[in-house]
Amino acid sequence: VELGSPDNLTHDAQIKGAASNRQQAEEAYQGKVTGWIKDMRYEMGLSYRAIAARLNEDNRRTRQGKPFHATTVMRILKRAELV
C-alpha cells in the first residue's frame, strides 16, 4: 500500500508545511502567554514589572528565548489590545 502523493513531497510543499507548523506553534504559545499575563494584570492586579519577574521566576521565556521585561509584557498586552 502506497500512501500520499508525490506532489505533496516537493521541496516547496515541505517548506510551506514547515512554515505553517511554525506559525501555528507561535500562535499557540502567544495565546498561552497572553492568557497568563492577562490573568496576572487584571485578576491579580500586578504591575508590568511584577508580571515580568513572575514569568522569569517560572522560567518562562519570550519567543526568542529571552527573559521577560516590563516593556515586553506591556507590548504583548498592547498587541492583544488589552491595554
Side-chain angles (χ1 to χ4, degrees):
V1 173
E2 192 172 320
L3 300 175
S5 168
D7 295 336
N8 293 338
L9 301 176
T10 66
H11 183 67
D12 290 339
Q14 290 174 351
I15 291 173
K16 187 176 178 180
S20 176
N21 289 343
R22 248 188 323 278
Q23 177 73 22
Q24 290 174 1
E26 285 180 18
E27 288 172 2
Y29 175 78
Q30 194 63 35
K32 282 183 183 178
V33 170
T34 301
W36 295 328
I37 291 172
K38 179 183 166 191
D39 290 346
M40 286 188 266
R41 179 70 176 165
Y42 299 110
E43 291 180 19
M44 299 169 70
L46 298 179
S47 67
Y48 298 136
R49 184 175 292 173
I51 293 169
R54 173 111 17 126
L55 290 168
N56 292 329
E57 287 169 9
D58 291 343
N59 292 317
R60 307 281 184 205
R61 294 290 178 252
T62 66
R63 286 183 298 169
Q64 291 79 29
K66 297 180 180 181
F68 282 90
H69 298 279
T71 305
T72 311
V73 171
M74 182 186 67
R75 287 179 181 159
I76 289 170
L77 286 175
K78 189 173 184 178
R79 268 190 299 245
E81 299 181 30
L82 297 171
V83 171

